[in-house]
Each structure stands twice: as C-alpha cells, then as structure tokens.
Amino acid sequence: MGKGTVVMKFGGTSVADAERLKRAAARIVRKREEGYDVVAVLSARGKETDRLIADAFEVSETPDPREMDMLLSTGERISCALCAMAIHDLGQEAVSLTGSQAGIVTDTSHTKARILDVRADRIFEALGQGEIVLVAGFQGVSTDRDVTTLGRGGSDTTAVALAAALGADVCEIYTDVPGVFSADPRIVPDARKLDSVSFEEMLEMSASGAGVLQLRSVEYARNHGVRIHCRSSFDESTGTIVVSEQETMENPLITAVTHSTGESRVTLQGVPDTPGAAGRIATVLAEANVNVDMIIQNEPVTEGQRADMSFTVPRDDLRTAREALEPLCDELGIAAIVSDEAMGKVSVIGAGMKTHPGVAAKVFTVLGEEGINIEMIATSPIKISCVVAADRVPDAVRALHSAFELSGEDTIRVEEPFGGSAA
Ligand code: ADP
Ligand code: ASP
Ligand code: MG
C-alpha cells in the first residue's frame, strides 16, 4: 500500500546543468523510495526557453504562434528525457512524457493556452506499474490537436493541474530560492521568508510580478484545493505553504512588496467622449489576447471634448496591442496612439490593509521622498500598485520594504541561476 501521490516540480535553474539535474533525480528517487507515487514536472534547463525565443526572432520578426509552441515545448522534453536517464542509473523505473502524452488538454490560444482538462489515465497506468513519471511542464495539446504552451512560468501550472487530477497530497514547487519572500530576494537581500501565505495574497503577488509562482497555478490550486509547498531545490529546508484564508494565523498589515519591470504604457489620445468607445477598445484588446492591467481615462473638462485613455500591458504584448488598436484610429476617430516602453510597477500587498486606512498615504509619501514619480495608481482591497519608470523599480521596492519594516532576521542565500541573472 503506497503512501499517496506527490507531485514535485523543478524549475529551470534547478535542472540547469548535469550536476543539478542529477541532484533533482536523486531527490525524486528518494521520495519514491519513501513509498510515494511520484510525478515530477520539469522546466526547460537554465535559460533554454529564452534562447529558443531568441532563435525564433532571428528567423522571423513575427514568429507564427503555432510553430513557436512546437519550438518552445522542446525545452522541457529535453529535461525530462535526461532526468529519466539519470533516474534509471539510480536503479528506479522512470518514463518521460510530453504534455500531450500526459493528457494535458488546453484551449487553442498558442503561447498562453489554458488547461481545460487533464486526462491522466496514462500517468495512472505508469504509476500503477511502479514507475516514476516525468512530465514536460509548460505544455499541452489543444482541442485542435496542436502542441500549445502555457505562458512563461507555466510549468508551475502543469504541476498544480496534475496534482489536482491525481488527487496528490501536495504539489511541491522546487526552485532557486527557499520559498516565497516578503520581496524578491534578488532585490531585497534581507527579505523575510513567509512560512505561509494565503491564496488571496499569493494571487495578488503573482499577478503583480512575483514570478516565483505563475498566477494561473495559484488560481488553479485555489479552485481545486491543491496544497502548494514552494521550497528550495538546493537544501532540505521547509519553504512556504500556500493556505486558505481560514488557515492563516496572522493578518499583517503588509505581507509583501512585489514588482515588475516589464510593463509598457499605451496612451490613446483624443478618444471620442461617447458611450461605447471604451468598450470597443477593451474588446479589440481582449480579442488579441492582450491582458490589460491598469486603465486610466482623463475625462474631458467640457462636454463634447475628447478624452485620453492610458493603460499598461506586458511589454511583450505591446506590438500586438498596437496592431490591434491601429484600425480603431479610423473607426473611432482616435487622434494618436503613443506608447512608453520602459515602465515598471511596484505593489504592496497585505490582507490587513482592508481594515487599516493610511497605507496608500504611506506608499505615496515614501515614493515621493525617494524622488520617484508615480505615473499611474491602481488598488484592490488588499493591494496598492504604482506604475513608475522601470529603472526606478529596485529603489522603490527597497524603500517600501524598509518603510513597512518587512525584513527578516537572517539574510538568505540565493543560489546563482545558471549563466547569470534570474531565468
Ligand atoms: P523556476 O525556474 O524555479 O520556476 P523562477 O525564476 O520562475 O524559478 O522563480 C523564482 C524566482 O522568483 C526567484 O529566483 C526570485 O528572484 C523571484 N521572485 C520574485 N519575487 C519573489 C518573492 N516574493 N519571493 C521569492 N522569489 C521571488
Ligand atoms: N520554461 C518555461 C519558461 O521559462 C516554463 C517554466 O519554466 O515554467 O517560462
Ligand atoms: Mg518559474
């Protein structure tokens, strides 16, 4: 009688070279030898996905999305096949599967597909035969039978979806930091490791740039009741458990400061001040599959005048957004589309702010004292986000982290990612 099923996901840095891959293999084998049924989800090695994207742009300015997915999905296949070989050498049975072979069925939105269904019979069969199952993360097969990928960081979502489908006890996300921190430890070296974080806060953190867990994986875990344990692949320490709101012991005012440096701002100048204009703009962007984040509209002072509308989009989507909006210039009579590429965003997140006024005042004051100009602001009940120039983001994060006194006692050790900065 087995002990239950565990899903273990290893990120790119954790399988970057032969030594690290063998370490991951040994850890997977150990779990199997403890008596668990083990499914391991692997990411592409090191910066492989970045390299493949660069390869595509070397041969085409606008790579075909279907072919992009064929290309990108190879990275995680390599990791899984190599890991299976390493596991065989350690004396265990292992089989590697592509996302498609593992039964991950997605919609047809290439490069950012969503998982619709997991048909895990082949995994159950392999587990039944005592095999360790290695699944290539970040990919699936669409309802049109094409290979799809799940967006950057998508292996987290593969792992959570498999954990849900297999009824796993836990989904362990092994990464290059010891858990989820009060800020990105690469920017704030004395950030505090969170023992637990609520789904509510983790969703806001992932949505505002904490790439340690892909947003979709957190949503999926919350919707399907999957327990996520985010931890280091380099040591045995306990990491961060993502828990339900009821399970959270404390409700600090501020839990974390998050950031992103990959934003762009688009401003539509001279939008006619008529009902339906904003709806058309948002619809066109949604149809192009562009996620719009913050939106600001300057109402005209006098009736009949035109308005300006600004919003942020991920920098990678700027070109698509502009192309989708061009036709609206004629259709709606918009005067010009202006964009600003190098924007960033800093956010403070904390469930405690629901009941404490004054957080926004403190955020704005701290940024002001740093001489950082706030370009746009957005809030939710547990988050305040400010758009600032991308090059001021690290200063903004450090100033807010210190002003809200979020530091931990010990400075943590961050494992150097393969080949330099974070993958
Ligand atoms: P993996 O390849 O294992 O999926 P990622 O690079 O996707 O790893 O995510 C881990 C990285 O997330 C860390 O190296 C860290 O720099 C970054 N990060 C950003 N914000 C946070 C945070 N609040 N807590 C922990 N890590 C964070
Ligand atoms: N390899 C993919 C990426 O770099 C998916 C992942 O690592 O989760 O985004
Ligand atoms: Mg990741």
Side-chain angles (χ1 to χ4, degrees):
M1 187 57 200
K3 274 193 182 170
T5 305
V6 172
V7 174
M8 305 169 82
K9 179 257 170 178
F10 290 85
T13 314
S14 309
V15 293
D17 53 25
E19 188 226 332
R20 288 180 183 187
L21 191 98
K22 287 205 275 189
R23 251 200 283 176
R27 200 151 182 172
I28 293 166
V29 163
R30 221 178 331 131
K31 190 72 87 182
R32 175 75 193 112
E33 285 171 351
E34 282 168 24
Y36 292 96
D37 286 342
V38 181
V39 174
V41 174
L42 304 189
S43 289
R45 307 176 83 196
K47 289 188 169 286
E48 179 68 6
T49 307
D50 290 339
R51 269 195 295 275
L52 292 169
I53 292 172
D55 285 351
F57 281 97
E58 260 176 34
V59 298
S60 164
E61 258 182 51
T62 50
D64 180 78
R66 179 191 181 278
E67 302 309 328
M68 196 68 168
D69 279 348
M70 284 297 281
L71 178 70
L72 295 188
S73 61
T74 61
E76 343 306 271
R77 288 177 66 160
I78 292 172
S79 302
C80 286
L82 291 173
C83 192
M85 295 172 193
I87 290 175
H88 292 157
D89 281 8
L90 294 170
Q92 283 286 342
E93 295 294 318
V95 59
S96 65
L97 300 175
T98 64
S100 168
Q101 288 173 320
I104 311 270
V105 180
T106 74
D107 65 15
T108 56
S109 344
H110 284 291
T111 76
K112 40 176 121 163
R114 287 169 74 91
I115 295 176
L116 300 175
D117 194 13
V118 180
R119 301 180 187 155
D121 29 299
R122 189 156 177 192
I123 299 181
F124 278 121
E125 241 171 66
L127 291 176
Q129 290 162 6
E131 290 180 311
I132 292 169
V133 182
L134 297 158
V135 178
F138 173 60
Q139 57 187 274
V141 61
S142 76
T143 43
D144 283 348
R145 291 175 298 168
D146 280 320
V147 172
T148 48
T149 63
L150 308 178
R152 299 308 303 268
S155 298
D156 298 334
T157 303
T158 304
V160 170
L162 287 175
L166 300 170
D169 303 330
V170 62
C171 181
E172 295 185 323
I173 307 280
Y174 288 89
T175 185
D176 56 8
V177 287
V180 178
F181 282 73
S182 56
D184 186 341
R186 291 181 199 283
I187 293 199
V188 184
D190 64 347
R192 187 172 74 90
K193 194 197 82 191
L194 309 174
D195 292 333
S196 69
V197 62
S198 68
F199 278 113
E200 189 188 27
E201 289 175 316
M202 196 62 230
L203 283 169
E204 292 281 15
M205 287 179 69
S206 294
S208 59
V212 60
L213 292 175
Q214 196 200 30
L215 173 60
R216 186 71 193 117
S217 75
V218 186
E219 282 173 353
Y220 207 105
R222 186 188 54 178
N223 295 346
H224 293 83
V226 173
R227 194 166 189 80
I228 293 181
H229 180 186
C230 176
R231 61 192 305 190
S232 170
S233 64
F234 301 106
D235 62 40
E236 303 289 324
S237 60
T238 304
T240 305
I241 314 270
V242 187
V243 298
S244 66
E245 278 78 77
Q246 296 80 34
E247 286 176 271
T248 38
M249 302 306 272
E250 36 182 348
N251 246 348
L253 181 58
I254 301 299
T255 300
V257 180
T258 58
H259 73 279
S260 105
T261 49
E263 315 276 328
S264 288
R265 177 174 53 188
V266 179
T267 302
L268 303 176
Q269 293 176 339
V271 179
D273 188 26
T274 48
R280 269 303 283 151
I281 293 164
T283 303
V284 160
L285 290 167
E287 281 168 0
N289 213 354
V290 173
N291 266 328
V292 176
D293 187 20
M294 264 183 228
I295 306 178
I296 289 186
Q297 180 168 306
N298 299 329
E299 280 301 312
V301 188
T302 47
E303 215 177 310
Q305 267 190 335
R306 286 163 175 265
D308 284 349
M309 190 181 202
S310 297
F311 47 83
T312 55
V313 296
R315 192 170 305 129
D316 291 344
D317 286 344
L318 178 59
R319 190 195 178 108
T320 314
R322 286 197 67 123
E323 280 170 7
L325 291 165
E326 291 301 339
L328 286 189
C329 288
D330 278 348
E331 183 190 321
L332 295 177
I334 293 169
I337 304 176
V338 182
S339 49
D340 203 331
E341 281 197 29
M343 303 306 289
K345 186 171 68 175
V346 57
S347 309
V348 298
I349 287 139
M353 78 171 77
K354 274 184 208 163
T355 47
H356 285 81
V359 175
K362 184 159 172 176
V363 169
F364 304 157
T365 305
V366 168
L367 294 179
E369 281 166 1
E370 284 291 306
I372 296 169
N373 195 42
I374 302 171
E375 310 270 350
M376 297 165 94
I377 298 163
T379 63
S380 85
I382 64 163
K383 182 195 74 177
I384 296 166
S385 294
C386 299
V387 170
V388 301
D391 62 354
R392 297 307 313 274
V393 163
D395 292 335
V397 173
R398 283 188 282 262
L400 290 168
H401 194 269
S402 145
F404 285 101
E405 297 174 15
L406 300 180
S407 298
E409 296 95 64
D410 308 317
T411 305
I412 65 111
R413 187 175 63 96
V414 180
E415 197 80 13
E416 251 322 287
F418 185 72
S421 62

